[in-house]
Amino acid sequence: MKPKLTLLFTLIITCLMTLGQRSAIELTFSAVNNTTHVQLDSIKIMNRTQGGETMIYWPDTTISLEITPGDLLLYIGHATLSPFGVQEISQDIEQFKLFPNFPNPVYDQSTVSMWIPETGVLNVMVMDVQGRIILADDWKLDRGHHFFRFIPGNGNLFFLTASWNGVVQSIKILTTEHQGGQRCMLDYKGSIQGENVSKASPQANNLISQQSGILDTPLEDQSYTFQFATNIPCPGTSTVEYEGQVYNTIQIFSQCWLKENLNVGEMIAGTTEQSNNQSIEKYCFNNESDSCTKYGGLYQWDEMMQYGLLPGAQGICPVGWHLPTDEEWKILEGAVDSEYGIGDPEWDIEYWDYRGFDAGTNLKTTSGWYENDNGTDLFGFSALPGGGYYSGYFDDNVGFWWTSTQKGYPYAWYRYLPDDGPELRRYSDDKEDSFSVRCLQGVIYIPLMELTFTAVNNDAHVQLDSIKVMNRTFEGEIVLLYPDSVLVLGSELPYVNGDELILIGYSGTLESGRFDSPLESQAYTFQFATNIPCPGTPTVEYEGQVYNTIQIFSQCWLKENLNVGTMIEGTMEQSNNGTIEKYCYNNEPDSCTKYGGLYQWNEMMQYTTWQGTQSICPPGWYVPTDEEWKVLEGAVDSQYGIGDPEWDDTGLRGYDAGGNLKEADVTHWTSPNTGATNSSGFTGLPGGCRDGDGGNFWGFGYIGFFWSSSQYNASDTWDRGLFYDYTNVGRYDDFKGYGCPVRCLKDTP
């Protein structure tokens, strides 16, 4: 049994401690060239959702790892091969060797390679199945690995025989279809000189490494097979008949694409909007039906998606095929580019830049492009300049292809092949534009999650008038109206695991908000009681001190600032020594008793950066995130509600949220304590802070600052400020070396 490699992705752990439960899964890998087994040199696994990557090397082909269910993983298989084909070559051969051609069967051309151990004359002869000599030639070649391009003529089977220094070897070459009178040809393409092409040769590995990529969101143990055949019809599926038209297929490593743009539906005039009328509609370039026959139809994004939102949906594709996602286009780009491989950050570049080296050229057809800016079509993708339709006119001489991935409302990602360069550009544009569509074989499993909503006032049932769900990561939102109280994430609202959601319930004139990043179907209950002890948890005893709690709609807070740990002098830095340390204002212990301890951000977080972690809070409680502070602010402000863009600003924001969070009198606050009502019961106090440079203290009686657990960058983090002379709330990115108060938020199921 082959050894297994078990690991935890460091970066994945960082995110997942707060995003949900991880599960251990076992992944097993193998590879083929068409149907012939291929030995994998290595496999790279990249977590495209959380970040992080790892490598395993032959003979390891199995890995056990822990991920969050639903994480999108990219697997990249590497194999030893010629520039055009996979080989498994012994390190110690010192004799002439003829390798099987690649690809085989041959669609339009194939590569034949040979190892010649020393300078000599090579004789090559090709015969057909009847034994007739189709061609014969000879070359004087030096030591090295030599490559030839073979173009078949008429016939389905050929025998290629090569002889060198009395050693004769033959291979059998199959073709996939009749070549229609084309002449059989064998062209010399070049060599890798001097060293035997072997797995142990650095030169060989650098020059002849090839990649194949697979995307998946595994939920259980899986076995994957990389495909290294390319530029051949997809094995087992050479054509697809769909809506009265036959499409060819093309295998490009582990992806199987339709070779032609989709042409399905009823043609309508470009001046008419495509609509959700149960009939597929298309535009044809310049409103000419012949353009659809040649280039395929042009579709608005919603029409292509059949008015769904799920990335990787079938949409208007045939059964068993789907609309490629932005990530799947990146795999194609890396697979065909000669400089930037699969998973390279080059493919993540935003739309305003060129990307790649020659991916565009390698995907374009060899004819038909403006001013002969044609491609090589090395991989058989056969991209044509089908144009597009946007802003009321048709644009020609270029090629546009939608992805099924949105980029913030109302935009979606697409790919663009220009008529004046080798790159393949990545843009996002309005979904009302109309572009070409290619389909990719297979079905993407992206789990749909069902969110269900109810509401209470303390423990009495409340009827919800409406529910708003905002994706703060993706920037989309949806509103459910009574009696609808169920939302399907990924279908009705775009969602990828890890996205941050604000969920807002409305009842009469009141609103109540929740914040979550669900990993599975959830039932949420909005709480409309406020300024009361948290139901069921009126107090919390922690480290010898009793804290009161306060319910502010759907958030349950500690009513006092946290006071835990050992006091140290303000001139000292808090350190990761296994003991919680705190400052007390002016180094006076009584200040901690009244106003809570002051903590540097890293000490408060216990030297992690896991947003929303328990840190120094009691079990079942945690340091609130920046987004959760926004929910609190919107809940207590009389003018700007939960989710209002006002709370995304920096500096002083809102109308009276600060006054409604501050202690209502001047017992602790310096007069005038502007606008203080404490209507929320939060009872914010002016405990001041410890300076981050020199250990001085400032702000006592005038300012109440509170940390969040969300970083702004490596040195700064988001916090909140209440002020004696303002009724707003301040949001700032401040130095982690400050010492500030901490409030804890209850982990609500």
Side-chain angles (χ1 to χ4, degrees):
M1 185 175 186
K2 291 178 179 170
K4 300 176 183 176
L5 175 63
T6 303
L7 72 152
L8 300 178
F9 293 158
T10 302
L11 294 178
I12 295 176
I13 294 174
T14 300
C15 298
L16 298 186
M17 290 297 291
T18 57
L19 292 179
Q21 295 297 315
R22 293 166 292 166
S23 61
I25 58 174
E26 185 174 274
L27 308 177
T28 304
F29 301 93
S30 59
V32 295
N33 170 14
N34 200 340
T35 58
T36 303
H37 170 72
V38 169
Q39 176 182 297
L40 287 165
D41 294 337
S42 62
I43 302 124
K44 178 187 285 187
I45 303 169
M46 304 176 70
N47 190 314
R48 299 294 286 172
T49 302
Q50 305 289 352
E53 64 182 57
T54 191
M55 294 278 291
I56 56 176
Y57 298 90
W58 189 86
D60 290 334
T61 58
T62 299
I63 183 171
S64 178
L65 52 84
E66 294 187 3
I67 63 169
T68 300
D71 279 356
L72 180 64
L73 302 187
L74 170 59
Y75 314 114
I76 308 171
H78 301 259
T80 302
L81 44 90
S82 77
F84 306 98
V86 178
Q87 318 290 352
E88 288 192 31
I89 307 171
S90 171
Q91 298 181 34
D92 57 0
I93 63 168
E94 282 300 327
Q95 61 182 1
F96 173 69
K97 177 69 175 176
L98 170 63
F99 298 104
N101 62 298
F102 178 87
N104 194 22
V106 182
Y107 178 65
D108 54 6
Q109 59 181 285
S110 186
T111 295
V112 177
S113 62
M114 306 172 201
W115 168 253
I116 295 179
E118 61 184 60
T119 301
V121 176
L122 174 74
N123 305 107
V124 179
M125 180 175 62
V126 177
M127 295 185 296
D128 64 14
V129 70
Q130 295 177 339
R132 295 176 299 189
I133 297 175
I134 306 301
L135 61 83
D137 210 340
D138 54 68
W139 293 266
K140 184 177 181 180
L141 301 174
D142 295 326
R143 171 187 173 91
H145 201 93
H146 297 268
F147 304 98
F148 300 80
R149 181 181 63 168
F150 175 73
I151 298 176
N154 292 333
N156 298 314
L157 176 63
F158 298 89
F159 298 92
L160 186 148
T161 300
S163 63
W164 173 88
N165 200 24
V167 180
V168 180
Q169 296 188 8
S170 297
I171 58 173
K172 182 169 61 176
I173 301 177
L174 301 172
T175 64
T176 59
E177 59 183 43
H178 189 69
Q179 299 300 311
Q182 179 174 279
R183 184 169 63 91
C184 185
M185 298 177 59
L186 186 71
D187 299 330
Y188 181 70
K189 303 302 294 181
S191 67
I192 301 174
Q193 295 291 326
E195 292 296 332
N196 180 16
V197 179
S198 68
K199 187 175 178 182
S201 166
Q203 179 190 25
N205 281 333
N206 289 337
L207 290 173
I208 65 172
S209 176
Q210 189 56 274
Q211 301 176 324
S212 184
I214 298 172
L215 274 173
D216 197 19
T217 53
L219 298 175
E220 57 187 2
D221 295 351
Q222 292 288 343
S223 295
Y224 298 97
T225 301
F226 293 104
Q227 175 63 263
F228 280 90
T230 189
N231 200 2
I232 63 170
C234 301
T237 313
S238 58
T239 60
V240 174
E241 187 173 348
Y242 178 50
E243 295 292 328
Q245 182 167 326
V246 176
Y247 296 87
N248 296 294
T249 67
I250 190 70
Q251 189 77 40
I252 304 179
F253 299 104
S254 288
Q255 291 183 330
C256 173
W257 292 81
L258 291 186
K259 188 165 181 161
E260 297 89 18
N261 294 342
L262 201 62
N263 181 28
V264 62
E266 179 183 354
M267 173 182 162
I268 63 174
T271 53
T272 304
E273 290 293 307
Q274 296 172 359
S275 59
N276 188 7
N277 57 8
Q278 310 306 311
S279 175
I280 299 175
E281 296 169 326
K282 67 183 178 184
Y283 302 127
C284 296
F285 191 86
N286 278 344
N287 297 314
E288 298 171 354
S289 58
D290 286 349
S291 293
C292 278
T293 303
K294 183 175 182 180
Y295 297 106
L298 301 174
Y299 302 89
Q300 293 180 313
W301 193 86
D302 286 328
E303 183 75 7
M304 173 194 74
M305 295 289 292
Q306 285 297 278
Y307 302 90
L309 299 171
L310 187 65
Q314 177 185 338
I316 60 174
C317 290
V319 174
W321 296 71
H322 68 271
L323 300 164
T325 65
D326 184 51
E327 288 290 333
E328 288 173 316
W329 271 98
K330 293 177 186 177
I331 288 182
L332 174 66
E333 293 164 325
V336 304
D337 199 86
S338 64
E339 287 201 10
Y340 300 97
I342 300 170
D344 194 289
E346 175 76 6
W347 307 117
D348 298 326
I349 291 176
E350 293 282 344
Y351 62 89
W352 53 80
D353 286 317
Y354 296 96
R355 304 150 61 253
F357 178 67
D358 56 6
T361 294
N362 294 337
L363 292 177
K364 285 183 182 179
T365 51
T366 56
S367 63
W369 285 81
Y370 182 65
E371 293 187 347
N372 290 320
D373 188 39
N374 301 309
T376 60
D377 203 16
L378 284 180
F379 299 87
F381 189 80
S382 302
L384 288 167
Y389 182 68
Y390 51 89
S391 301
Y393 71 94
F394 290 96
D395 186 7
D396 59 0
N397 299 324
V398 294
F400 302 93
W401 289 268
W402 280 124
T403 81
S404 56
T405 304
Q406 298 184 90
K407 187 187 182 289
Y409 181 82
Y411 303 105
W413 289 110
Y414 69 92
R415 293 306 188 273
Y416 168 45
L417 276 175
D419 58 1
D420 59 353
E423 306 90 354
L424 183 54
R425 308 180 193 179
R426 176 179 179 244
Y427 286 170
S428 65
D429 220 334
D430 196 299
K431 297 175 185 176
E432 293 184 355
D433 294 341
S434 302
F435 300 143
S436 299
V437 174
R438 282 290 181 103
C439 297
L440 190 59
Q441 191 179 54
V443 177
I444 294 181
Y445 175 68
I446 300 179
L448 301 180
M449 287 180 277
E450 188 174 86
L451 308 185
T452 305
F453 303 94
T454 56
V456 295
N457 183 347
N458 203 336
D459 58 359
H461 173 73
V462 171
Q463 177 180 299
L464 287 165
D465 298 329
S466 62
I467 302 145
K468 179 187 287 186
V469 180
M470 307 175 68
N471 188 319
R472 299 288 290 171
T473 304
F474 174 76
E475 300 178 351
E477 66 178 55
I478 191 170
V479 175
L480 308 178
L481 301 177
Y482 177 83
D484 194 1
S485 61
V486 178
L487 171 65
V488 179
L489 285 180
S491 176
E492 298 172 288
L493 180 71
Y495 182 79
V496 176
N497 281 355
D499 284 357
E500 297 181 335
L501 300 183
I502 291 182
L503 314 110
I504 311 169
Y506 300 90
S507 182
T509 60
L510 299 177
E511 60 181 351
S512 181
R514 298 283 302 267
F515 174 84
D516 199 12
S517 296
L519 295 171
E520 57 187 0
S521 295
Q522 296 285 344
Y524 294 99
T525 299
F526 293 107
Q527 175 63 261
F528 280 89
T530 189
N531 199 1
I532 62 170
C534 300
T537 313
T539 59
V540 174
E541 185 173 349
Y542 178 51
E543 295 293 327
Q545 183 165 326
V546 176
Y547 296 88
N548 296 292
T549 67
I550 189 70
Q551 189 77 40
I552 306 177
F553 296 102
S554 287
Q555 290 182 331
C556 173
W557 293 80
L558 291 187
K559 192 169 183 174
E560 297 88 18
N561 295 344
L562 198 63
N563 181 27
V564 62
T566 301
M567 173 183 159
I568 64 172
E569 294 293 313
T571 54
M572 300 173 61
E573 294 294 306
Q574 295 171 358
S575 60
N576 187 8
N577 57 8
T579 299
I580 298 175
E581 297 170 326
K582 66 183 179 183
Y583 304 121
C584 296
Y585 198 91
N586 277 345
N587 300 313
E588 297 173 357
D590 285 349
S591 293
C592 280
T593 303
K594 293 179 181 179
Y595 298 97
L598 304 177
Y599 303 89
Q600 293 180 306
W601 192 83
N602 286 326
E603 181 74 9
M604 173 198 72
M605 295 292 291
Q606 285 296 277
Y607 302 91
T608 75
T609 56
W610 305 336
Q611 177 178 265
T613 188
Q614 175 186 339
S615 64
I616 60 173
C617 291
W621 297 70
Y622 61 94
V623 179
T625 67
D626 182 51
E627 288 290 339
E628 286 166 322
W629 275 104
K630 294 176 186 177
V631 170
L632 174 65
E633 293 164 326
V636 302
D637 199 88
S638 64
Q639 288 198 14
Y640 301 98
I642 300 170
D644 194 288
E646 173 76 7
W647 306 116
D648 298 327
D649 289 342
T650 55
L652 290 170
R653 305 123 63 248
Y655 178 67
D656 56 6
N660 297 334
L661 292 172
K662 290 191 294 183
E663 181 190 44
D665 54 34
V666 291
T667 302
H668 302 102
W669 284 91
T670 299
S671 181
N673 198 16
T674 303
T677 66
N678 200 26
S679 59
S680 65
F682 185 81
T683 317
L685 296 175
C689 286
R690 178 259 194 191
D691 199 302
D693 183 16
N696 297 316
F697 296 92
W698 51 270
F700 184 80
Y702 295 87
I703 299 171
F705 267 93
F706 305 90
W707 285 127
S708 84
S709 57
S710 301
Q711 296 184 96
Y712 174 75
N713 57 29
S715 60
D716 299 329
T717 193
W718 291 113
D719 59 21
R720 292 304 188 273
L722 303 177
F723 303 92
Y724 81 104
D725 54 349
Y726 288 101
T727 190
N728 333 66
V729 180
R731 175 177 179 249
Y732 306 98
D733 55 285
D734 277 321
F735 179 48
K736 294 177 180 178
Y738 291 164
C740 294
V742 175
R743 281 290 182 103
C744 297
L745 186 62
K746 192 173 188 297
D747 188 3
T748 305

Short mmCIF file of all heavy atoms in Angstrom, two decimals, residues 9-36:
data_model
loop_
_atom_site.label_atom_id
_atom_site.label_comp_id
_atom_site.label_asym_id
_atom_site.label_seq_id
_atom_site.Cartn_x
_atom_site.Cartn_y
_atom_site.Cartn_z
N PHE A 9 -3.73 22.44 6.20
CA PHE A 9 -3.29 23.68 5.56
C PHE A 9 -3.27 24.78 6.61
O PHE A 9 -4.28 25.10 7.22
CB PHE A 9 -4.26 24.10 4.46
CG PHE A 9 -4.31 23.19 3.28
CD1 PHE A 9 -5.42 23.19 2.47
CD2 PHE A 9 -3.25 22.35 2.98
CE1 PHE A 9 -5.46 22.36 1.37
CE2 PHE A 9 -3.29 21.52 1.90
CZ PHE A 9 -4.41 21.52 1.08
N THR A 10 -2.13 25.41 6.80
CA THR A 10 -2.03 26.47 7.80
C THR A 10 -3.00 27.59 7.52
O THR A 10 -3.71 28.07 8.41
CB THR A 10 -0.59 27.02 7.83
OG1 THR A 10 0.30 25.95 8.11
CG2 THR A 10 -0.46 28.09 8.89
N LEU A 11 -3.05 28.03 6.27
CA LEU A 11 -3.94 29.14 5.95
C LEU A 11 -5.39 28.74 6.05
O LEU A 11 -6.26 29.55 6.39
CB LEU A 11 -3.63 29.67 4.55
CG LEU A 11 -2.26 30.32 4.39
CD1 LEU A 11 -2.05 30.77 2.95
CD2 LEU A 11 -2.12 31.51 5.32
N ILE A 12 -5.70 27.48 5.72
CA ILE A 12 -7.07 27.02 5.83
C ILE A 12 -7.51 27.04 7.28
O ILE A 12 -8.60 27.48 7.62
CB ILE A 12 -7.22 25.61 5.24
CG1 ILE A 12 -6.93 25.65 3.74
CG2 ILE A 12 -8.61 25.05 5.48
CD1 ILE A 12 -6.95 24.29 3.08
N ILE A 13 -6.64 26.55 8.16
CA ILE A 13 -6.98 26.52 9.58
C ILE A 13 -7.32 27.92 10.07
O ILE A 13 -8.28 28.13 10.80
CB ILE A 13 -5.80 25.95 10.41
CG1 ILE A 13 -5.59 24.48 10.05
CG2 ILE A 13 -6.07 26.10 11.89
CD1 ILE A 13 -4.37 23.87 10.71
N THR A 14 -6.53 28.91 9.64
CA THR A 14 -6.75 30.28 10.07
C THR A 14 -8.17 30.72 9.82
O THR A 14 -8.80 31.36 10.66
CB THR A 14 -5.77 31.22 9.33
OG1 THR A 14 -4.45 30.82 9.64
CG2 THR A 14 -5.99 32.65 9.74
N CYS A 15 -8.69 30.38 8.63
CA CYS A 15 -10.04 30.81 8.29
C CYS A 15 -11.09 29.93 8.94
O CYS A 15 -12.12 30.41 9.40
CB CYS A 15 -10.23 30.79 6.77
SG CYS A 15 -9.12 31.90 5.91
N LEU A 16 -10.85 28.61 9.01
CA LEU A 16 -11.91 27.70 9.34
C LEU A 16 -12.24 27.64 10.81
O LEU A 16 -13.30 27.18 11.19
CB LEU A 16 -11.54 26.30 8.86
CG LEU A 16 -11.35 26.18 7.34
CD1 LEU A 16 -11.12 24.74 6.97
CD2 LEU A 16 -12.55 26.73 6.63
N MET A 17 -11.35 28.10 11.68
CA MET A 17 -11.67 28.09 13.11
C MET A 17 -12.93 28.86 13.40
O MET A 17 -13.62 28.60 14.37
CB MET A 17 -10.50 28.67 13.90
CG MET A 17 -9.26 27.77 13.94
SD MET A 17 -9.56 26.20 14.76
CE MET A 17 -9.76 26.77 16.45
N THR A 18 -13.25 29.84 12.55
CA THR A 18 -14.44 30.65 12.78
C THR A 18 -15.53 30.37 11.79
O THR A 18 -16.67 30.70 12.04
CB THR A 18 -14.10 32.14 12.70
OG1 THR A 18 -13.53 32.39 11.41
CG2 THR A 18 -13.11 32.53 13.76
N LEU A 19 -15.23 29.74 10.66
CA LEU A 19 -16.24 29.59 9.62
C LEU A 19 -17.02 28.29 9.75
O LEU A 19 -18.04 28.12 9.12
CB LEU A 19 -15.58 29.67 8.25
CG LEU A 19 -15.03 31.04 7.89
CD1 LEU A 19 -14.38 30.97 6.52
CD2 LEU A 19 -16.11 32.09 7.93
N GLY A 20 -16.57 27.34 10.53
CA GLY A 20 -17.36 26.15 10.69
C GLY A 20 -16.52 24.91 10.91
O GLY A 20 -15.31 24.96 11.02
N GLN A 21 -17.18 23.77 10.94
CA GLN A 21 -16.53 22.51 11.21
C GLN A 21 -15.82 22.01 9.97
O GLN A 21 -16.35 22.03 8.87
CB GLN A 21 -17.57 21.48 11.66
CG GLN A 21 -18.22 21.83 12.99
CD GLN A 21 -17.22 21.86 14.13
OE1 GLN A 21 -16.39 20.97 14.24
NE2 GLN A 21 -17.28 22.86 14.97
N ARG A 22 -14.60 21.50 10.16
CA ARG A 22 -13.87 20.87 9.08
C ARG A 22 -14.15 19.38 9.07
O ARG A 22 -14.53 18.80 10.07
CB ARG A 22 -12.37 21.12 9.23
CG ARG A 22 -11.98 22.56 9.06
CD ARG A 22 -10.57 22.78 9.55
NE ARG A 22 -10.49 22.62 11.00
CZ ARG A 22 -9.35 22.49 11.65
NH1 ARG A 22 -8.22 22.49 11.01
NH2 ARG A 22 -9.34 22.37 12.96
N SER A 23 -13.96 18.77 7.93
CA SER A 23 -14.10 17.33 7.84
C SER A 23 -12.87 16.75 7.17
O SER A 23 -12.30 17.37 6.27
CB SER A 23 -15.37 16.95 7.07
OG SER A 23 -15.30 17.44 5.75
N ALA A 24 -12.46 15.59 7.60
CA ALA A 24 -11.30 14.92 7.02
C ALA A 24 -11.75 14.09 5.84
O ALA A 24 -12.70 13.31 5.94
CB ALA A 24 -10.61 14.05 8.07
N ILE A 25 -11.10 14.26 4.69
CA ILE A 25 -11.41 13.47 3.51
C ILE A 25 -10.12 12.93 2.92
O ILE A 25 -9.05 13.49 3.12
CB ILE A 25 -12.17 14.29 2.44
CG1 ILE A 25 -11.34 15.51 2.02
CG2 ILE A 25 -13.54 14.71 2.94
CD1 ILE A 25 -11.96 16.28 0.88
N GLU A 26 -10.24 11.83 2.18
CA GLU A 26 -9.10 11.20 1.55
C GLU A 26 -9.25 11.32 0.04
O GLU A 26 -10.28 10.94 -0.52
CB GLU A 26 -8.99 9.74 1.96
CG GLU A 26 -7.74 9.05 1.42
CD GLU A 26 -7.58 7.65 1.97
OE1 GLU A 26 -7.02 7.50 3.07
OE2 GLU A 26 -8.05 6.71 1.29
N LEU A 27 -8.23 11.86 -0.61
CA LEU A 27 -8.24 12.06 -2.06
C LEU A 27 -7.18 11.16 -2.69
O LEU A 27 -6.04 11.11 -2.22
CB LEU A 27 -7.94 13.52 -2.39
CG LEU A 27 -8.79 14.58 -1.68
CD1 LEU A 27 -8.32 15.98 -2.07
CD2 LEU A 27 -10.26 14.39 -1.99
N THR A 28 -7.55 10.46 -3.75
CA THR A 28 -6.66 9.56 -4.45
C THR A 28 -6.59 9.97 -5.91
O THR A 28 -7.61 10.30 -6.52
CB THR A 28 -7.15 8.10 -4.34
OG1 THR A 28 -7.29 7.76 -2.96
CG2 THR A 28 -6.18 7.15 -4.99
N PHE A 29 -5.39 9.94 -6.49
CA PHE A 29 -5.18 10.45 -7.84
C PHE A 29 -4.52 9.40 -8.73
O PHE A 29 -3.66 8.63 -8.30
CB PHE A 29 -4.28 11.69 -7.80
CG PHE A 29 -4.85 12.81 -6.98
CD1 PHE A 29 -4.52 12.93 -5.63
CD2 PHE A 29 -5.73 13.73 -7.52
CE1 PHE A 29 -5.04 13.96 -4.86
CE2 PHE A 29 -6.26 14.75 -6.77
CZ PHE A 29 -5.92 14.87 -5.43
N SER A 30 -4.94 9.40 -9.99
CA SER A 30 -4.29 8.62 -11.04
C SER A 30 -4.34 9.45 -12.31
O SER A 30 -4.89 10.57 -12.31
CB SER A 30 -4.97 7.26 -11.23
OG SER A 30 -6.34 7.45 -11.57
N ALA A 31 -3.79 8.93 -13.40
CA ALA A 31 -3.75 9.70 -14.64
C ALA A 31 -3.76 8.77 -15.84
O ALA A 31 -3.30 7.62 -15.77
CB ALA A 31 -2.52 10.61 -14.68
N VAL A 32 -4.28 9.28 -16.96
CA VAL A 32 -4.28 8.55 -18.22
C VAL A 32 -3.92 9.49 -19.35
O VAL A 32 -4.06 10.71 -19.24
CB VAL A 32 -5.66 7.91 -18.52
CG1 VAL A 32 -5.99 6.83 -17.50
CG2 VAL A 32 -6.75 8.97 -18.58
N ASN A 33 -3.44 8.92 -20.44
CA ASN A 33 -3.30 9.61 -21.71
C ASN A 33 -4.26 8.90 -22.64
O ASN A 33 -3.99 7.81 -23.12
CB ASN A 33 -1.87 9.52 -22.23
CG ASN A 33 -1.74 10.02 -23.66
OD1 ASN A 33 -2.64 10.66 -24.17
ND2 ASN A 33 -0.62 9.70 -24.28
N ASN A 34 -5.44 9.53 -22.86
CA ASN A 34 -6.56 8.88 -23.51
C ASN A 34 -7.01 7.74 -22.61
O ASN A 34 -7.67 7.97 -21.62
CB ASN A 34 -6.20 8.43 -24.92
CG ASN A 34 -7.43 8.22 -25.78
OD1 ASN A 34 -8.53 8.03 -25.27
ND2 ASN A 34 -7.25 8.24 -27.08
N THR A 35 -6.61 6.51 -22.89
CA THR A 35 -6.96 5.40 -21.99
C THR A 35 -5.73 4.69 -21.45
O THR A 35 -5.85 3.72 -20.70
CB THR A 35 -7.83 4.37 -22.75
OG1 THR A 35 -7.13 3.91 -23.89
CG2 THR A 35 -9.15 5.00 -23.18
N THR A 36 -4.53 5.20 -21.80
CA THR A 36 -3.29 4.58 -21.35
C THR A 36 -2.83 5.17 -20.02
O THR A 36 -2.83 6.39 -19.85
CB THR A 36 -2.19 4.79 -22.40
OG1 THR A 36 -2.63 4.25 -23.65
CG2 THR A 36 -0.90 4.09 -21.98
#
